[in-house]
Amino acid sequence: DILSLHPTVLEYQVIPTVTGLNPAIGIDSGVSVIKVGGRHLVGNEAFCHVGYDSQVQAEIISSVLIKCEAPAHEPGRVVIEISTSDHGEQFSHNDIIYEYIEEGAVVAIVPREGSQNGGTVVRLAMSNLDVG
């Protein structure tokens, strides 16, 4: 039996490798742009897999840099993996951690006014601020 009379073209794509994130921490409301460093970051399109439940489109900057926007996520640590294969079919397997933290908020400013010439010491009261 002949399986096919038509030639089939296969393309080998190296699975990308993630070597680091900048920043490696961001606020839980998302909107942080993550620079993902690595190797073999080439292809027609790119995706960042954030944790186990979010996949976002990414921008290929060079063969060693991709940028993606972190989606909103509850506070905690997630794994960032990337794909440069068509349609995000194969992702890296490097277990690089990105940490979501609760966004801090200013709840008071003292004093509320200061000199036009500057030099006023201002104290801020914050909520949800991790100082560790």
Side-chain angles (χ1 to χ4, degrees):
D1 284 308
I2 297 176
L3 296 177
S4 175
L5 297 176
H6 304 286
T8 301
V9 177
L10 299 175
E11 181 180 335
Y12 176 75
Q13 289 184 317
V14 177
I15 294 176
T17 301
V18 177
T19 57
L21 306 174
N22 187 11
I25 192 168
I27 56 176
D28 58 352
S29 61
V31 307
S32 296
V33 174
I34 304 171
K35 294 177 184 175
V36 182
R39 294 185 300 275
H40 313 298
L41 308 182
V42 294
N44 295 329
E45 58 185 344
F47 297 92
C48 287
H49 197 118
V50 182
Y52 297 108
D53 53 0
S54 295
Q55 180 174 307
V56 295
Q57 188 106 30
E59 178 185 0
I60 299 173
I61 304 301
S62 72
S63 64
V64 296
L65 181 64
I66 285 180
K67 290 192 321 188
C68 59
E69 187 174 302
H73 193 281
E74 64 187 42
R77 293 177 171 209
V78 296
V79 172
I80 301 283
E81 300 293 359
I82 56 171
S83 172
T84 56
S85 65
D86 294 335
H87 311 295
E89 296 165 354
Q90 294 188 7
F91 282 84
S92 58
H93 302 286
N94 302 110
D95 296 333
I96 302 295
I97 300 295
Y98 181 80
E99 185 173 5
Y100 281 95
I101 59 171
E102 224 175 312
E103 185 172 12
V106 176
V107 294
I109 301 173
V110 177
R112 296 184 70 73
E113 297 178 358
S115 168
Q116 287 182 341
N117 297 328
T120 303
V121 174
V122 177
R123 291 188 175 86
L124 303 176
M126 305 281 296
S127 67
N128 299 328
L129 185 64
D130 183 4
V131 292

